[in-house]
Amino acid sequence: MKRDNNHLQPNPDPSSSSSLGGGSSAGKAKLWVEEATQQDCGMDELLAVLGYKVKTSDMAEVAQKLEQLEEVMCNVQDDGISHLASETVHFNPSDLSTWLQSMLSEFNPPSSFDPFGADGTATATALDDSFLCGPAESSTLSTLDFENNNRQHQKSGQQIFEEASCSDYDLKAIPGKAIYSQNTQTQPPTHDSSSSSTHNIVKPEKRLKSSSGSHSDIFPPPPPPAGAASYGIPSDSIRPVVLVDSQENGIRLVHALMACAEAVQQNNLNLAEALVKQIGFLAISQAGAMRKVATYFAEALARRIYRLYPQNPLDHSLSDVLHMHFYETCPYLKFAHFTANQAILEAFEGKKRVHVIDFSMNQGMQWPALMQALALRPGGPPAFRLTGIGPPSHDNSDHLQEVGWKLAQLAETIHVEFEYRGFVANSLADLDASMLDLRPTEVEAVAVNSVFELHKLLARPGAIDKVFSVVEQMRPEIVTIVEQEANHNGPVFLDRFTEALHYYSTLFDSLEGSASGQDKVMSEVYLGKQICNVVACEGVDRVERHESLTQWRNRFTSAGFSPVLLGSNAFKQASMLLALFAGGDGYGVEENNGCLMLGWHNRPLITTSAWKPANNTSPTSTITY
Amino acid sequence: MAGSNEVNLNESKRVVPLNTWVLISNFKLAYNLQRRPDGTFNRDLSEFLDRRVPANINPVDGVFSFDHVDGATGLLNRVYQPSSLNEAQWGIVELEKPLSTVEIVPVIVFFHGGSFTHSSANSAIYDTFCRRLVSLCKAVVVSVNYRRSPEHRYPCAYDDGWAALKWVKSRSWLQSGKDSKVYVYLAGDSSGGNIAHHVAVRAAEADVEILGNILLHPMFGGQRRTESEKLLDGKYFVTLHDRDWYWRAYLPEGEDRDHPACNPFGPRGQSLEGLKFPKSLVVVAGLDLIQDWQLAYVDGLKKSGQEVKLLFLEKATIGFYFIPNNEHFYCLMEEIKNFVNPNC
C-alpha cells in the first residue's frame, strides 16, 4: 500500500487519500514508514502479527469478500446467519481469504453443494474400557493374524490394578466435516504448465506396486534431504511460562536448577555437583508441584554429572502401567485420542473397508471409541483392520497380541468386522511398507496414527525420513499426529533444559488439581522418566526429542505432506471433553492454523495435527484441464 | 436506523487504511456470528476464532512476558516487562528483587476490550498492544484475563480487576523507586476502560493509590439515545443493536442501561466529589457512536472536581490503536507516554 507523504498537514483531507481507502499521513510519516512497511508480494506484516495471514496483494479481494458477506447476511433471514454460526464448520480463521470464501459459498446458489455431508458421522456411547487393563503377556514376535471369531484368550494371571472407570469421553456425531483437506478444495486449479496434469494423476501401476503386498518389493528409503539433521530444525524460540502462585516462592529453586544446568553445559562438574546438592535441600522446603519437578530435574542432572545413565529401554510392563495412570489422571492422552479419532472418522467417511496403522499401540486405548463410532455409522460400519506396532517387551509376553484379542472381543459385541495384526519393532524405522499387507487404495482406506511416538525417531539419523517415506507408500487418507508442544531437541543442552523445566512444571501444575493418590503419583513417575531422558541422556538413548508444531510442520511439508485441517467441530467436541474433565480447570483448546492444541492456562502442551501425502489424490478425483 | 449498507461500507473504508478496515470488519463479522438473538453467546465459536499468542519469556523487541495464575481462583494475569540490558538475565523471571531501587518503573494494569464478552489477555491484538505499551512507557504491563459475559455478568469483571490490582500491589518484585512502592496506572480500551474506571473508584474508596487512569474509547452508555448514537449507528463498524446486546449480556438481568456500571454519572450514578480519584486520560474517537457518553463521562469527572484530560481524535474509528499505520495511533502513544511519565 502506498502512502501519501503530505506529512506537513496534521489533519489531511481524507478525500485526498488513495482509492484503496488509504489512511491519512502526518508529520511522523518518516518514523512510521518502517513499521508500516509491507512487503509487496508477501504477507501483510501488520496483520500477521495479529494472527491473520493476508497477502498484501490479496487485501482488496479480502475486503471485497467481507463486503459481500455483509451484504448477503443482511439480505438473508436471521436463521441464515445462525445456520452459518452453529451448523457450519469453520477452518483456519487465520487464512482470511479462504475462510471468507467458504462462508460465501454457503450462501451462493450452487444447490448441490452440501457442506454438511449427507452421511454424518456416528454417535458413540461411553465405553467401558476396563478389559484393556491386562498387562503384557505372551512373548514372541511380530505378526499374528487373527479374525474376530470366538477365540478364548487367556486372561492374565494377575491384574496389576483394578479395571479403570468408564471412559468418560464419547466420540459424538459430528455434523459436517471436522477436517478439511486442502487437496479437495473446489477452487479451480490455477496451474500453468499442462505437463503437471499428467504428473498429478496417480499412476495406476505405482499404486498397485505399493499395495500388492508382495514381499519382494523393497522400497529403499530416499537419502535424507540435505540439512535435515536429526538434531532438530531450529524452532521459533518461543518459551511460554506459566507460574502458579506457589511457584513464586520456588523461583529460587528454578534459578538454582538453571545455574546447575549451566555448569553442566560448561562442563564445570565440581560446581554442578555442589549446586545439585543445594537443589536437593531447596527442593525439600518446597511444596506441591515445584518440589516434585525440582526433584526429578535434580535427579536427572545428578545422573548426568555422575554418568549414572538410566537403564534403557524401559521395562515395558511398567511403562504400560504408568501410561495407563497418566491416561486416567489428566486429559492429555484422551484429548490426543479424541481429536485424532475425529479426524480419522471423517477421513474414513464413505469408505467400506478401512485400515488403521497405529504407531503407538500401547494398550490400544484409542481404538474402542473409534470402533464404536464406526459401528454406529449410518449405513453400517466398514470392515475395520488394525495394525498395531509397538516395541518388544522384556518378559517375552506378546502384549500386542493380548491387546488385539481384547479389541477383537469388542468388535464382536458391536458387530464390526475386525482384523488385527501386531508388529513388534524396536524402531518404527524398521518397518517397510511391504510388511504391512497393504491393499489397493480403492479397496481399503488407510489411516496412520502416531501419538507421542514420532519424536523418538529423531534420535537416529535418517530414521524419520525412512518413516515418512514408508508412510507415503501406505497412501494414507490421513496421518494423525499428536506430539508434545515443546522444543526439547535443540542442540544446546542448557536451552533444552530450560525449555523442559518450564514445560514439565506446567504439566505437573496441571496434575496438582486432578486426582490424587496413586494415579497422580504414577503419572508423575511417567513424566519423570521423560524428564530423565531429556536431561540425562544423549545420542541414540535420548529419545524424548520433542519438537514444536512449527518444526513438525516444516518436517512434514519438506517430506511431501500437506495439511489436513481440523475445524471448529473438532474444536468444540474437544472443548466439551475438557469441560467434562474436572470442569475444565485451566485446560483449554486452541486452534492454530488447522491444528488443535491442548493447553493449560494458555500454555499449549500437546498438539494434534493431520496430514496427507501431497500427491495423494483419491481415485475418484482427477485434475482435468 | 442502519441506513443503506452500501453507503456505510464505503464511508468506513474511506477513513481507515485498508488492512485496518479488513481487521475490524473481520471482527465485526466474527462477532455477528457469535452473538445470538436470544442473548446467548456461542463461546466455542468465539474461542475457536480468536487468534491467540502464548507468553514468551524470551525477549522479542525488548519485551518478554509470562503468565501468572492464582491457583485458588484461576484468574490469570499476563505480565509484560522490558528485557534486561544484561543478556545473561534473559529467560529468567526475577521474582525476588524489585524492578528498581533507584528509579520509578510504572506498572500499568491493563484491561483488554471486547465489550465484556470477547477477547482474552492472550488475544493477539492485545498481546501486541501491551508489548507496545511496555516499550513506549518503559513500564511493566499486567494484562488481566477477567471473566467475561454473558457467562459472568456484572460485577465479575470488576471483582477480577480489583483482585488483579491487589495482587499487583502486593508483589515485592513489582516495586520500584526509593520508596519501594508499586506505582500503578490503570488502563483499558472499550469495556476495559469501563473496568478501569470502576476499579479506580473502588481503589479510591479503599485508599489504594492509583497514579492515573487511561481510558481508550471506554464503553459507557445509558438508556436514552444520544445524538452521536443516532447519527453514527452502523456507519463505522458498530451498531446500536450490538451495543445493546452487550449491555444486556453484562448487566444483571432485568437491568437497563442507566445501571451505574453502564452510566456512572447518570441518574443512578454517584458523584466522585471529594474522592481521591486518579487523574484520567480519556481518549474519544470522533467516529465512535458512543462518544456522547464518553464526553458525558469526562464532564462527570470534571464536575466531581477530578483531573481529566480529553484526547478527542476527530477522525478516528474504534480500534485505531491496533495497527500502527495511522496518525491517531502515534498521537495516542505520545499522549500515553507523557501521561505515564514517572516524573510528573
Side-chain angles (χ1 to χ4, degrees):
Chain A
M1 190 183 86
K2 302 282 185 278
R3 303 211 68 86
D4 293 328
N5 278 329
N6 32 341
H7 53 88
L8 295 175
Q9 293 165 278
N11 281 319
D13 179 3
S15 60
S16 72
S17 49
S18 75
S19 60
L20 281 181
S24 45
S25 318
K28 301 186 174 91
K30 263 190 297 187
L31 292 172
W32 13 305
V33 160
E34 264 176 53
E35 258 204 279
T37 296
Q38 297 150 18
Q39 296 159 6
D40 276 346
C41 36
M43 294 295 168
D44 181 314
E45 287 174 3
L46 296 174
L47 286 185
V49 85
L50 303 181
Y52 296 103
K53 297 186 302 189
V54 182
K55 289 206 195 108
T56 310
S57 50
D58 287 342
M59 195 68 66
E61 194 191 309
V62 167
Q64 200 179 22
K65 286 181 183 167
L66 279 161
E67 283 172 320
Q68 283 173 339
L69 260 174
E70 162 110 17
E71 204 171 332
V72 163
M73 279 169 68
C74 281
N75 296 337
V76 157
Q77 303 301 332
D78 253 343
D79 48 337
I81 298 172
S82 68
H83 198 58
L84 195 58
S86 55
E87 300 300 328
T88 307
V89 183
H90 299 266
F91 297 95
N92 194 4
S94 285
D95 180 1
L96 265 187
S97 186
T98 309
W99 181 58
L100 294 171
Q101 187 59 50
S102 66
M103 284 191 286
L104 277 171
S105 305
E106 298 267 337
F107 286 112
N108 284 339
S111 50
S112 52
F113 182 66
D114 181 0
F116 305 122
D119 45 323
T121 50
T123 315
T125 49
L127 180 72
D128 180 0
D129 57 356
S130 55
F131 55 81
L132 291 174
C133 299
E137 198 180 293
S138 53
S139 89
T140 60
L141 342 117
S142 57
T143 85
L144 195 68
D145 280 19
F146 53 86
E147 312 295 321
N148 61 337
N149 40 21
N150 286 337
R151 188 181 284 265
Q152 280 303 89
H153 73 91
Q154 311 104 310
K155 249 189 155 56
S156 119
Q158 51 203 90
Q159 297 274 358
I160 293 182
F161 43 84
E162 289 309 309
E163 58 199 37
S165 55
C166 282
S167 163
D168 52 2
Y169 74 99
D170 309 345
L171 208 61
K172 291 245 177 9
I174 310 166
K177 292 190 173 300
I179 61 163
Y180 171 67
S181 175
Q182 288 176 321
N183 286 342
T184 56
Q185 208 163 336
T186 51
Q187 282 174 12
T190 50
H191 295 152
D192 36 9
S193 75
S194 54
S195 61
S196 62
S197 64
T198 48
H199 291 143
N200 282 339
I201 297 174
V202 175
K203 291 205 161 63
E205 64 271 19
K206 189 171 180 184
R207 213 191 303 147
L208 280 174
K209 200 176 181 184
S210 64
S211 54
S212 65
S214 153
H215 292 271
S216 60
D217 282 343
I218 307 291
F219 296 91
S230 57
Y231 273 116
I233 291 167
S235 77
D236 32 344
S237 79
I238 290 181
R239 188 173 293 165
V241 172
V242 184
L243 296 178
V244 184
D245 14 43
S246 62
Q247 283 184 30
E248 283 188 64
N249 302 327
I251 208 71
R252 195 179 300 174
L253 194 43
V254 170
H255 293 169
L257 280 163
M258 282 167 61
C260 183
E262 190 168 0
V264 167
Q265 160 101 359
Q266 287 161 358
N267 216 19
N268 185 347
L269 296 180
N270 288 331
L271 174 60
E273 194 181 351
L275 284 168
V276 90
K277 284 177 184 159
Q278 194 184 31
I279 289 165
F281 285 122
L282 278 174
I284 293 169
S285 67
Q286 282 304 300
M290 195 63 230
R291 189 187 78 246
K292 298 171 203 177
V293 171
T295 308
Y296 281 115
F297 274 89
E299 185 203 319
L301 279 168
R303 284 184 176 278
R304 199 178 175 101
I305 294 166
Y306 297 117
R307 297 178 201 272
L308 292 169
Y309 302 117
Q311 52 187 168
N312 239 347
L314 187 60
D315 179 280
H316 200 273
S317 58
L318 174 59
S319 87
D320 269 356
V321 167
L322 297 180
H323 195 245
M324 177 66 73
H325 278 287
F326 183 68
Y327 180 83
E328 289 303 324
T329 311
C330 46
Y332 302 106
L333 275 176
K334 297 194 189 213
F335 172 86
H337 293 170
F338 187 81
T339 47
N341 281 345
Q342 300 283 32
I344 294 172
L345 200 57
E346 289 299 328
F348 280 168
E349 198 182 304
K351 309 292 184 194
K352 295 282 183 291
R353 307 193 71 85
V354 303
H355 181 195
V356 172
I357 301 171
D358 188 6
F359 285 171
S360 37
M361 194 60 187
N362 292 297
Q363 297 98 350
M365 288 181 292
Q366 183 170 347
W367 307 116
L370 181 69
M371 289 162 69
Q372 287 273 9
L374 290 172
L376 295 170
R377 217 166 68 157
F384 180 66
R385 182 152 80 109
L386 178 63
T387 300
I389 299 160
S393 62
H394 293 273
D395 56 353
N396 277 345
S397 61
D398 192 346
H399 56 281
L400 283 178
Q401 179 183 356
E402 174 85 9
V403 171
W405 273 331
K406 285 172 180 161
L407 290 173
Q409 277 198 320
L410 168 66
E412 174 132 4
T413 60
I414 60 177
H415 310 294
V416 173
E417 187 189 323
F418 180 70
E419 201 185 321
Y420 177 79
R421 176 183 278 187
F423 269 94
V424 166
N426 277 306
S427 163
L428 292 172
D430 295 340
L431 279 178
D432 282 316
S434 54
M435 300 166 178
L436 298 171
D437 186 25
L438 295 169
R439 296 167 194 165
T441 314
E442 62 270 21
V443 171
E444 189 175 72
V446 173
V448 178
N449 181 78
S450 167
V451 176
F452 302 139
E453 281 297 324
L454 226 54
H455 58 262
K456 297 178 187 170
L457 294 168
L458 303 175
R460 279 173 208 275
I464 186 76
D465 300 310
K466 163 87 189 294
V467 170
F468 276 141
S469 155
V470 171
V471 168
E472 271 178 330
Q473 288 158 32
M474 297 171 185
R475 309 208 67 81
E477 289 301 311
I478 193 164
V479 182
T480 48
I481 305 293
V482 185
E483 282 289 325
Q484 291 89 343
E485 186 58 29
N487 182 12
H488 297 152
N489 197 25
V492 179
F493 169 73
L494 184 55
D495 286 343
R496 289 204 303 273
F497 183 88
T498 312
E499 291 265 344
L501 183 57
H502 291 304
Y503 180 81
Y504 285 100
S505 292
T506 304
L507 264 182
F508 272 72
D509 272 327
S510 73
L511 288 181
E512 281 299 294
S514 57
S516 54
Q518 190 179 31
D519 261 349
K520 189 159 93 163
V521 170
M522 293 286 205
S523 302
E524 288 163 0
V525 171
Y526 175 83
L527 294 174
K529 301 259 170 228
Q530 289 180 8
I531 291 170
C532 199
N533 189 272
V534 176
V535 173
C537 297
E538 281 302 340
V540 296
D541 290 330
R542 178 159 62 88
V543 293
E544 297 298 345
R545 293 179 181 256
H546 312 144
E547 288 191 345
S548 69
L549 174 62
T550 305
Q551 293 169 287
W552 283 112
R553 274 205 182 110
N554 284 337
R555 289 190 184 278
F556 270 91
T557 45
S558 300
F561 289 86
S562 47
V564 176
L565 305 180
L566 300 165
S568 57
N569 252 330
F571 179 95
K572 180 172 173 174
Q573 302 285 1
S575 298
M576 281 163 52
L577 164 70
L578 289 180
L580 281 177
F581 210 104
D585 211 23
Y587 294 109
V589 186
E590 205 176 292
E591 191 280 344
N592 182 321
N593 282 286
C595 302
L596 294 184
M597 294 174 152
L598 171 60
W600 195 72
H601 284 300
N602 293 345
R603 155 84 218 226
L605 290 166
I606 68 174
T607 301
T608 303
S609 61
W611 305 87
K612 189 169 173 161
N615 58 0
N616 198 15
T617 52
S618 62
T620 53
S621 83
T622 53
I623 299 172
T624 53
Y625 293 90
Chain B
M1 149 248 136
S4 145
N5 278 319
E6 268 184 55
V7 174
N8 294 341
L9 292 171
N10 283 339
E11 274 191 61
S12 61
K13 242 180 158 185
R14 269 203 287 268
V15 298
V16 292
L18 189 60
N19 53 0
T20 300
W21 190 89
V22 163
L23 180 75
I24 304 189
S25 301
N26 180 55
F27 281 135
K28 176 173 138 189
L29 167 70
Y31 293 172
N32 283 344
L33 291 176
Q34 296 163 34
R35 293 189 308 269
R36 297 200 192 98
D38 66 354
T40 60
F41 188 69
N42 193 340
R43 182 59 67 188
D44 281 322
L45 183 60
S46 183
E47 297 290 281
F48 178 81
L49 293 176
D50 193 22
R51 305 291 84 199
R52 304 246 162 103
V53 295
N56 191 357
I57 202 81
N58 294 330
V60 175
D61 293 336
V63 181
F64 72 92
S65 64
F66 62 92
D67 290 334
H68 177 276
V69 180
D70 179 324
T73 61
L75 181 63
L76 183 138
N77 294 325
R78 178 165 288 186
V79 179
Y80 301 84
Q81 289 183 238
S83 54
S84 169
L85 296 168
N86 176 9
E87 215 175 300
Q89 289 295 310
W90 288 5
I92 298 176
V93 182
E94 177 54 70
L95 297 184
E96 299 194 290
K97 300 203 281 274
L99 294 170
S100 168
T101 48
V102 175
E103 51 174 13
I104 292 174
V105 181
V107 179
I108 304 174
V109 179
F110 179 77
F111 303 103
H112 67 81
S115 307
F116 295 103
T117 302
H118 298 284
S119 293
S120 302
N122 64 340
S123 295
I125 42 172
Y126 288 113
D127 185 87
T128 306
F129 183 74
C130 286
R131 285 172 169 275
R132 291 196 173 115
L133 275 183
V134 171
S135 298
L136 180 77
C137 304
K138 306 283 176 274
V140 169
V141 173
V142 177
S143 185
V144 182
N145 203 40
Y146 58 88
R147 283 169 294 165
R148 299 161 302 186
S149 56
E151 298 93 329
H152 301 104
R153 293 173 176 268
Y154 165 93
C156 291
Y158 303 155
D159 289 344
D160 289 349
W162 176 244
L165 174 62
K166 284 197 296 183
W167 180 79
V168 164
K169 278 282 189 179
S170 59
R171 299 304 103 187
S172 61
W173 48 275
L174 286 178
Q175 289 170 351
S176 61
K178 298 193 180 72
D179 294 340
S180 290
K181 272 173 41 179
V182 183
Y183 291 85
V184 175
Y185 288 79
L186 300 182
D189 67 317
S190 171
S191 55
N194 177 296
I195 296 172
H197 164 79
H198 288 286
V199 171
V201 171
R202 198 160 162 185
E205 287 167 348
D207 211 19
V208 173
E209 187 187 18
I210 306 287
L211 295 170
N213 268 10
I214 302 166
L215 272 52
L216 252 179
H217 56 60
M219 186 169 159
F220 293 118
Q223 205 46 31
R224 71 182 176 92
R225 302 304 192 188
T226 64
E227 281 310 303
S228 67
E229 284 170 318
K230 293 183 212 165
L231 203 60
L232 296 174
D233 184 12
K235 292 225 167 87
Y236 299 97
F237 309 110
V238 185
T239 65
L240 262 185
H241 179 78
D242 67 61
R243 293 298 97 199
D244 289 352
W245 190 98
Y246 291 115
W247 283 120
R248 266 201 309 278
Y250 177 66
L251 296 170
E253 308 212 28
E255 281 285 358
D256 69 17
R257 289 183 303 274
D258 282 333
H259 186 285
C262 176
N263 195 356
F265 292 117
R268 293 158 62 187
Q270 72 176 100
S271 165
L272 301 183
E273 209 164 342
L275 208 57
K276 192 166 168 257
F277 195 76
K279 63 172 182 174
S280 297
L281 171 65
V282 181
V283 182
V284 177
L287 299 177
D288 186 347
L289 83 173
I290 59 168
Q291 62 189 266
D292 285 347
W293 293 112
Q294 294 157 348
L295 294 169
Y297 173 78
V298 171
D299 259 347
L301 283 180
K302 284 183 180 154
K303 288 200 177 80
S304 296
Q306 302 298 347
E307 186 187 336
V308 54
K309 172 167 186 185
L310 168 64
L311 176 64
F312 187 83
L313 299 167
E314 193 185 333
K315 294 195 167 67
T317 64
I318 52 128
F320 67 87
Y321 45 86
F322 287 136
I323 306 185
N325 61 359
N326 60 87
E327 58 172 339
H328 313 298
F329 176 94
Y330 289 95
C331 190
L332 170 71
M333 289 300 151
E334 194 63 29
E335 290 286 340
I336 293 180
K337 187 165 139 190
N338 295 334
F339 190 77
V340 178
N341 186 338
N343 299 324
C344 285

